[in-house]
Amino acid sequence: MVSSRLLFFLSAIFLLTAQAVAQTADFLYHFCLNDNGNYTANSTYERNLNHLLSSFSSNTEIDYGFYNSSYGQNSDQVSAIGLCRGDVNPDDCRGCLNISTSLLKQHCPNQKEAIGWFDHCMLRYSNRSILGVKETSSIFYMSNVNNASSANNADKFNNDLRTLLESLRSQAVAGGSLRKFATGNATAPEFQTLYALVQCTPDLSELDCNSCLVDAIQRIPVCCNNKKGGRVVGPSCNLRFEIYQFYNSTAAASPPTSPVAPPVSPPPPLTNTNTTKGSERNTSRTIIIIIVPIAAFVLLVISFCVYFRVKRRPRREKLETVEDDEIRSVESLQFDFSTIRVATDNFSEANKLGQGGFGDVYKGRLSDGQVIAIKRLSKNSGQGDLEFKNEVLLVAKLQHRNLVRLLGFCLERDERLLIYEFMPNTSLDHFLFDPIKRAHLDWQRRYKIIGGIARGILYLHEDSRLRIIHRDLKASNILLDAEMNSKISDFGMARLFLLDQTQGNTSRIVGTYGYMAPEYAMHGQFSVKSDVFSFGVLVLEIVSGQKNNCFRNGENVEDLLSYAWKNWREGTASNIVDPTIRLGATTEIMRCIHIGLLCVQENVADRPTMASVILMLNSYSITLQVPSQPAFFMHNNIDLETSRLMQSTWVTKSDERSKGDSVEASRNEASITELYPR
Ligand SMILES: *[C@@H]1O[C@H](CO)[C@@H](O)[C@H](O)[C@H]1NC(C)=O
Ligand SMILES: *[C@@H]1O[C@H](CO)[C@@H](O)[C@H](O)[C@H]1NC(C)=O
Ligand SMILES: *[C@@H]1O[C@H](CO)[C@@H](O)[C@H](O)[C@H]1NC(C)=O
Ligand SMILES: *[C@@H]1O[C@H](CO)[C@@H](O)[C@H](O)[C@H]1NC(C)=O
Ligand SMILES: *[C@@H]1O[C@H](CO)[C@@H](O)[C@H](O)[C@H]1NC(C)=O
Ligand SMILES: *[C@@H]1O[C@H](CO)[C@@H](O)[C@H](O)[C@H]1NC(C)=O
Ligand SMILES: *[C@@H]1O[C@H](CO)[C@@H](O)[C@H](O)[C@H]1NC(C)=O
Ligand SMILES: *[C@@H]1O[C@H](CO)[C@@H](O)[C@H](O)[C@H]1NC(C)=O
Ligand SMILES: *[C@@H]1O[C@H](CO)[C@@H](O)[C@H](O)[C@H]1NC(C)=O
Ligand SMILES: *[C@@H]1O[C@H](CO)[C@@H](O)[C@H](O)[C@H]1NC(C)=O
């Protein structure tokens, strides 16, 4: 074992290294933008630029942390913007911009347009007018390499982070014309406190600031899901979060300059920061990794020591308490049949909500007022009481904001009930396929619903402890909560009904005509990719507002998949878009059609995984592959050629990575794929 003296010594080295790095005066990141051309030495443009930059150090308006200026005439006019982080005092701000002015010119010796960022400020100049214009390219990410919380708390962490950032976003947007900046904290899993900051350049309109930050927040899954710290930084707005306080909230001294830190908790900001550029503009596609090798090594040694010295015992104790909890939860999940009978008024017709694949569904109200949904299973589930109980316990552990929550079960005589949270807005099909109610679903809502379904499926496929293939994804299994968030229902039914749940063949096909992947419908072969197929059908239905299996195009009834494919190939994809949302965000809609088509491809291995679907939905910087022809098995006579082709496709692990994604995507996907062995 390493002695505590050595530990202390190593941490001292670490702190010194960190200090040295902190004092290196270079940008976190900079872009020299070639698109806007180069200027030549001694040109008017250069003289104007020099004049402008020298005025930055001496100006007085900087007190608000924002400075804009332009100088020169016509094609030689230069505009510049300086922005300091909202909590930085005017002296530091001026100092930071002063360094930036000389540094940026050194880094980009003849580019007309350039941007550079420090922790405390940003400097931009260009030959075009940049004031009040939202800039969506030239964005970079940074993330701490360490995970903030264990895998089962990751969702919770990401959720808490998103909630915090959303609230800061609205504060910053409403900040006024001088400052659009907000900081805040929130509690995160594992007793951590999350600190975050968002900022727009104050010259943006509220609308532009909002959409810039919405976009930045959406990039978090690509950049830094469940990381101890991360930043999404662009010319018009930026966000940052850490699990320590990194901004100045009046009283507290700013942490980066504090040299005394307890040896056991090394300061996270300077550890090993991975900066990836996610620019849409084709500047140069490089990945910059700022590594502090010694620091990283020392950190590793320290973590090892700390892990073995401190964590070992408590960890074992923790496991035991978890088991206790599990035993207790069996009791709390079981409901009395009499309770449910009262709650549903003797399973009255009036309380019947509908009929699902596995039995009738009733609405009920418990004595404490809670409204529930009860699925009364048709009686032949084919397994014993104990097995049923065990499976319910496992399925009840699947908790995600995009899954309908299983609250419990009831087992009495031959009655088997499953009790779920009640969803006030019924299911997606009630809205989507109703010519009047459809109007409630504008594009924004539909897009949110698509994202929610995708995250729910990903959780079932990869993030939950059990690997669940849903097998019956369809619009009527997508329920909507009071805020019209989508939640998947009927997951895990295969577990409760004695169907084997691993990838394989099954003689009992549980899916629904129109959503089933051809290999599943015809050969009973299911895999995560058959769920991906159903997801693709759902996406196309959501975009078009039409059912796949009774799609109407004027007088003709054909199937949605072939109609979508035909139009997409002919460049007329807008034909399939529901007329009520034609005024929505066209690029987003087209991207969804594209993703939908990728998911319904005939070749199982060509369909993306849900993890890559989510990446594609979240990041426009990812180039999508060109889809191949979808499986047209909806036609009444399945042609033999097709079915023979499909028999030979079987997903293997190496097949599952799609090849065409950009750098960030494939890196991300590789790490997701590693979760597979199960
Ligand atoms: C501008 O200069 C950079 C190098 O300083 C060069 O890589 C780039 O090609 C030049 N661009 C144009 C448009 O001349
Ligand atoms: C730019 O001007 C300076 C003096 O004003 C001169 O020394 C230098 O040679 C000039 N450079 C070029 C490339 O013309
Ligand atoms: C800006 O930096 C230069 C050195 O790079 C220094 O001489 C000058 O005094 C600084 N100006 C201000 C206003 O800080
Ligand atoms: C900026 O410079 C580039 C290259 O010289 C030119 O193509 C572009 O039109 C200029 N932009 C403006 C707004 O003058
Ligand atoms: C962080 O979490 C991801 C996924 O949960 C896992 O693959 C990765 O190994 C973890 N990284 C570290 C450094 O623990
Ligand atoms: C979190 O923010 C609140 C204000 O919203 C502040 O009162 C509190 O001190 C902060 N907590 C920490 C630990 O910084
Ligand atoms: C930009 O600069 C102009 C002129 O220097 C000034 O009038 C204007 O208020 C500035 N705008 C902002 C948002 O600071
Ligand atoms: C429910 O049905 C049982 C018999 O099946 C009957 O005894 C009871 O009175 C009924 N309760 C209500 C509220 O109708
Ligand atoms: C969804 O349900 C909530 C709560 O019952 C209701 O206020 C809202 O109007 C419903 N939304 C739609 C579009 O029906
Ligand atoms: C599934 O069935 C096909 C024939 O339909 C057979 O070739 C294949 O080996 C079976 N796979 C498994 C895992 O049983």
Side-chain angles (χ1 to χ4, degrees):
M1 259 305 148
V2 189
S3 75
S4 48
R5 266 182 72 185
L6 182 51
L7 244 177
F8 183 78
F9 173 68
L10 289 173
S11 6
I13 295 183
F14 172 75
L15 287 176
L16 282 176
T17 322
Q19 283 277 302
V21 173
Q23 280 158 13
T24 312
D26 200 354
F27 289 123
L28 292 173
Y29 203 80
H30 69 274
F31 289 100
C32 305
L33 297 160
N34 288 323
D35 295 9
N36 273 3
N38 295 338
Y39 58 82
T40 47
N42 288 351
S43 62
T44 320
Y45 191 87
E46 180 172 31
R47 266 181 278 120
N48 290 344
L49 180 62
N50 287 343
H51 179 270
L52 193 59
L53 294 182
S54 63
S55 72
F56 258 77
S57 326
S58 52
N59 74 79
T60 50
E61 282 175 44
I62 211 82
D63 288 4
Y64 299 111
F66 180 71
Y67 184 62
N68 84 83
S69 184
S70 63
Y71 189 74
Q73 304 291 320
N74 306 325
S75 65
D76 289 321
Q77 191 177 50
V78 192
S79 301
I81 282 180
L83 176 74
C84 289
R85 209 170 77 184
D87 59 330
V88 170
N89 69 44
D91 280 343
D92 289 348
C93 179
R94 209 170 280 126
C96 183
L97 286 174
N98 189 14
I99 298 171
S100 303
T101 50
S102 50
L103 206 58
L104 193 54
K105 253 201 94 204
Q106 279 169 30
H107 279 307
C108 309
N110 52 11
Q111 272 85 0
K112 284 188 175 172
E113 180 164 351
I115 317 174
W117 287 269
F118 276 110
D119 258 343
H120 285 183
C121 70
M122 170 195 80
L123 177 72
R124 275 178 85 181
Y125 55 74
S126 176
N127 70 334
R128 62 202 170 99
S129 164
I130 49 179
L131 187 69
V133 179
K134 185 182 77 168
E135 180 62 59
T136 52
S137 56
S138 310
I139 291 167
F140 74 97
Y141 312 135
M142 293 174 80
S143 80
N144 192 305
V145 290
N146 298 306
N147 290 340
S149 47
S150 60
N152 29 347
N153 279 333
D155 265 329
K156 174 98 176 58
F157 181 89
N158 295 332
N159 246 338
D160 291 344
L161 174 61
R162 179 173 278 265
T163 312
L164 174 60
L165 289 172
E166 296 288 352
S167 96
L168 295 178
R169 168 171 62 90
S170 32
Q171 283 175 45
V173 167
S177 62
L178 293 177
R179 218 165 84 121
K180 289 189 167 59
F181 174 73
T183 59
N185 63 63
T187 53
E190 297 170 15
F191 311 107
Q192 301 179 98
T193 306
L194 251 175
Y195 297 85
L197 162 165
V198 305
Q199 184 167 24
C200 291
T201 58
D203 55 321
L204 289 190
S205 67
E206 293 192 0
L207 215 61
D208 281 345
C209 172
N210 189 56
S211 72
C212 185
L213 287 172
V214 165
D215 175 72
I217 293 171
Q218 276 174 355
R219 288 169 190 264
I220 284 179
V222 187
C223 139
C224 29
N225 247 356
N226 191 28
K227 294 297 174 197
K228 284 195 159 150
R231 314 181 197 193
V232 177
V233 184
S236 291
C237 68
N238 65 77
L239 63 83
R240 178 176 177 189
F241 67 91
E242 305 283 355
I243 53 162
Y244 66 99
Q245 183 163 347
F246 59 94
Y247 50 83
N248 232 351
S249 75
T250 52
S254 75
T257 54
S258 150
V260 217
V264 196
S265 61
L270 303 159
T271 49
N272 183 346
T273 311
N274 217 329
T275 309
T276 309
K277 180 167 71 77
S279 155
E280 272 109 49
R281 198 178 284 187
N282 258 350
T283 39
S284 59
R285 281 210 166 269
T286 45
I287 298 167
I288 295 199
I289 304 174
I290 307 161
I291 301 181
V292 190
I294 301 171
F297 173 69
V298 172
L299 184 65
L300 196 73
V301 172
I302 294 173
S303 329
F304 247 87
C305 300
V306 171
Y307 180 83
F308 280 109
R309 284 168 63 106
V310 186
K311 281 286 162 70
R312 204 157 184 167
R313 282 183 157 271
R315 219 179 139 88
R316 198 168 281 162
E317 280 157 22
K318 212 168 180 181
L319 265 178
E320 279 155 18
T321 33
V322 168
E323 277 159 19
D324 273 0
D325 282 352
E326 284 181 6
I327 292 160
R328 240 177 278 126
S329 64
V330 186
E331 307 310 322
S332 59
L333 280 173
Q334 186 153 14
F335 286 70
D336 278 341
F337 187 67
S338 54
T339 311
I340 302 301
R341 200 166 57 191
V342 170
T344 56
D345 199 9
N346 262 358
F347 296 99
S348 68
E349 272 303 306
N351 279 327
K352 192 162 158 180
L353 293 171
Q355 200 162 22
F358 296 89
D360 293 342
V361 183
Y362 295 86
K363 181 179 177 177
R365 186 182 290 272
L366 296 174
S367 54
D368 65 0
Q370 188 183 4
V371 184
I372 53 175
I374 298 115
K375 189 180 281 271
R376 191 179 198 181
L377 299 179
S378 40
K379 286 155 194 169
N380 50 354
S381 85
Q383 61 184 342
D385 289 356
L386 191 61
E387 289 87 352
F388 181 76
K389 242 188 221 184
N390 284 338
E391 293 304 327
V392 170
L393 279 179
L394 286 174
V395 174
K397 282 212 191 90
L398 299 171
Q399 292 184 10
H400 186 270
R401 67 182 182 287
N402 297 111
L403 297 183
V404 177
R405 183 142 181 219
L406 179 61
L407 299 173
F409 67 101
C410 169
L411 229 175
E412 224 164 280
R413 295 187 303 271
D414 51 0
E415 287 283 358
R416 284 174 184 200
L417 311 180
L418 294 173
I419 292 134
Y420 292 95
E421 62 176 327
F422 178 74
M423 291 289 124
N425 283 325
T426 68
S427 52
L428 180 59
D429 58 331
H430 279 100
F431 285 92
L432 201 55
F433 305 136
D434 182 307
I436 295 157
K437 283 189 174 173
R438 187 182 292 163
H440 288 294
L441 296 178
D442 57 16
W443 173 244
Q444 212 124 56
R445 274 197 172 146
R446 293 190 198 197
Y447 192 57
K448 199 169 102 178
I449 287 170
I450 292 173
I453 300 169
R455 282 191 294 272
I457 304 174
L458 176 67
Y459 175 82
L460 290 175
H461 284 180
E462 299 197 0
D463 295 341
S464 65
R465 283 204 277 170
L466 315 162
R467 182 174 189 177
I468 299 277
I469 295 168
H470 190 294
R471 298 209 237 170
D472 197 12
L473 286 165
K474 54 182 167 182
S476 59
N477 273 339
I478 305 301
L479 306 190
L480 299 168
D481 72 4
E483 276 91 47
M484 301 297 275
N485 293 306
S486 46
K487 297 195 179 217
I488 299 171
S489 76
D490 262 8
F491 53 89
M493 291 315 270
R495 280 198 157 260
L496 301 172
F497 275 81
L498 265 200
L499 306 172
D500 60 331
Q501 188 48 230
T502 49
Q503 176 179 306
N505 295 346
T506 178
S507 52
R508 183 169 167 184
I509 292 172
V510 294
T512 302
Y513 185 68
Y515 291 93
M516 276 186 289
E519 73 278 5
Y520 181 41
M522 291 192 279
H523 308 293
Q525 296 172 345
F526 62 89
S527 67
V528 289
K529 295 296 187 75
S530 38
D531 277 357
V532 170
F533 183 95
S534 311
F535 173 78
V537 175
L538 260 171
V539 169
L540 294 172
E541 288 186 336
I542 292 170
V543 170
S544 66
Q546 302 244 28
K547 279 187 186 153
N548 183 27
N549 50 11
C550 75
F551 174 78
R552 238 170 247 104
N553 171 31
E555 291 295 287
N556 305 324
V557 175
E558 48 186 318
D559 82 82
L560 176 58
L561 300 194
S562 32
Y563 186 68
W565 166 248
K566 204 172 65 196
N567 278 287
W568 190 83
R569 229 184 17 181
E570 286 163 10
T572 52
S574 57
N575 284 350
I576 75 160
V577 178
D578 183 348
T580 61
I581 56 163
R582 286 233 166 111
L583 295 177
T586 321
T587 27
E588 244 169 44
I589 295 176
M590 290 305 140
R591 205 168 160 88
C592 282
I593 296 175
H594 193 156
I595 293 170
L597 285 170
L598 286 173
C599 293
V600 298
Q601 288 176 102
E602 191 170 294
N603 187 341
V604 178
D606 285 347
R607 295 178 207 150
T609 60
M610 285 318 292
S612 23
V613 165
I614 285 175
L615 283 174
M616 293 186 239
L617 284 171
N618 279 329
S619 172
Y620 289 160
S621 57
I622 293 170
T623 327
L624 303 184
Q625 283 183 310
V626 177
S628 56
Q629 175 162 330
F632 297 142
F633 90 109
M634 289 296 312
H635 294 306
N636 290 334
N637 6 345
I638 300 155
D639 82 56
L640 282 173
E641 191 57 33
T642 315
S643 72
R644 217 158 23 84
L645 270 175
M646 274 178 303
Q647 229 162 11
S648 63
T649 57
W650 194 252
V651 194
T652 63
K653 197 178 161 219
S654 60
D655 281 336
E656 293 206 353
R657 288 196 201 169
S658 59
K659 291 146 203 114
D661 292 349
S662 70
V663 183
E664 306 102 85
S666 38
R667 279 172 67 240
N668 248 293
E669 186 153 293
S671 68
I672 292 162
T673 323
E674 276 161 19
L675 285 175
Y676 264 65
R678 221 183 264 239

